[in-house]
């Protein structure tokens, strides 16, 4: 793989859930990799379901609790169902500290279970420093979000604040270097959840594309 093929820049968008960015904006920004949120239940059909990634909910931190094994059964069932269609399940990070998530992934023990790593969610939920978590999850990481955030002054009790890329607590040069370290070469999907401010959202995503392009060039140059 050449440096220009590594890490295509993408955006998070949805068909009808009002999440991420509108698809026409992605086209205007020249972004061709799109991580698409599934259609709402009303419009979903077996052909359009395309389930691939989700927040499964809060995995209980206590492995001896009944809830832990219930959520494990749900994840196992979803993986087996997807496997029959040749698909994988990517759990999005954020709600759990890395050690809880790695233990859960090992307990579910399915070859098509992976992680969508979102460094900002770790910060928003107060679930631990993102880069050590990324290293710990390593080979499980098969897709990533590029989103930024600042910590809450009471992590784990109140939410942090999502920010434009590069203005929060995620160290993006180190994030990309860590992705290289764990062998991740897939899309860098920019997520910016301010659909209520479309003009600002487009400008901030355009700035994020520039920032990530610059970092990619710097890392490729060594
Ligand atoms: Mg995300």
């Amino acid at each position: 793989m050449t440096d220009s093929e590594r890490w295509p820049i993408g955006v998070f968008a949805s068909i009808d859930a009002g999440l991420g960015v509108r698809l026409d904006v992605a086209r205007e920004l020249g972004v061709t990799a799109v991580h698409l949120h599934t259609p709402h239940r009303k419009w979903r059909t077996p052909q359009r379901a395309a389930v691939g990634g989700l927040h499964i909910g809060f995995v209980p931190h206590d492995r001896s609790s009944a809830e832990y094994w219930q959520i494990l059964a749900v994840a196992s069932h979803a993986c087996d169902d997807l496997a029959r269609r040749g698909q994988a399940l990517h759990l999005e990070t954020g709600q759990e500290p890395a050690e809880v998530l790695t233990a859960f992934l090992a307990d579910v023990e399915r070859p098509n279970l992976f992680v969508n790593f979102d460094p900002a969610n770790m910060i928003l939920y107060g679930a631990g420093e993102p880069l050590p978590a990324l290293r710990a999850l390593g080979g499980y990481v098969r897709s990533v979000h590029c989103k930024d955030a600042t910590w809450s002054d009471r992590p784990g009790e109140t939410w942090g604040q999502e920010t434009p890329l590069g203005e929060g607590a995620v160290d993006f040069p180190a994030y990309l270097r860590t992705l290289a370290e764990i062998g991740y070469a897939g899309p860098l999907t920019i997520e910016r959840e301010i659909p209520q401010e479309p003009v600002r959202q487009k400008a901030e995503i355009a700035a994020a594309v520039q920032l990530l392009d610059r970092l990619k060039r710097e890392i490729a140059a060594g």
Side-chain angles (χ1 to χ4, degrees), residues 12 55 92-93 116-118 121 145 147 191 193:
F12 181 63
H55 286 270
E92 178 143 351
T93 56
N116 179 54
F117 190 84
D118 186 326
N121 284 351
H145 282 170
K147 189 170 82 186
E191 184 181 17
E193 293 300 351

Side-chain angles (χ1 to χ4, degrees), residues 126-183:
E129 287 288 347
L131 299 188
L134 180 58
R135 266 185 217 105
L137 289 162
Y140 279 116
V141 176
R142 291 293 178 94
S143 55
V144 302
H145 282 170
C146 290
K147 189 170 82 186
D148 210 347
T150 51
W151 295 91
S152 154
D153 51 2
R154 286 180 293 146
E157 289 178 51
T158 58
W159 273 62
Q161 185 78 38
E162 192 183 323
T163 69
L165 207 84
E167 293 180 23
V170 178
D171 180 342
F172 275 92
Y175 182 45
L176 264 57
R177 283 195 301 272
T178 309
L179 288 174
E181 234 174 82
I182 66 166

Side-chain angles (χ1 to χ4, degrees), residues 49-52 78-79 81-89 112-113:
V51 176
C79 285
D81 199 43
L82 289 164
R84 282 191 282 276
R85 289 180 260 164
Q87 292 178 318
L89 181 65
N112 61 334
L113 180 62

Side-chain angles (χ1 to χ4, degrees), residues 16-53:
D16 58 5
L19 296 169
V21 69
R22 292 207 322 268
L23 286 170
D24 55 329
V25 175
R27 194 178 57 235
E28 284 163 28
L29 291 173
V31 174
T32 52
V34 176
H35 184 168
L36 195 61
H37 185 274
T38 198
H40 266 178
R41 183 183 295 273
K42 193 173 153 197
W43 308 110
R44 216 176 292 157
T45 65
Q47 291 74 32
R48 297 170 87 187
V51 176

Side-chain angles (χ1 to χ4, degrees), residues 1 14 18 21 46 54 56 87 109 122 136 149 159-160 193 198 208 213 217:
M1 174 174 293
S14 71
V21 69
L54 48 79
I56 198 165
Q87 292 178 318
E109 212 185 351
M122 306 286 306
W159 273 62
E193 293 300 351
D213 264 335
R217 280 197 305 275

Side-chain angles (χ1 to χ4, degrees), residues 69-88:
W69 297 98
Q70 282 163 4
I71 203 162
L72 187 139
V74 169
S76 308
H77 181 80
C79 285
D80 294 344
D81 199 43
L82 289 164
R84 282 191 282 276
R85 289 180 260 164
Q87 292 178 318

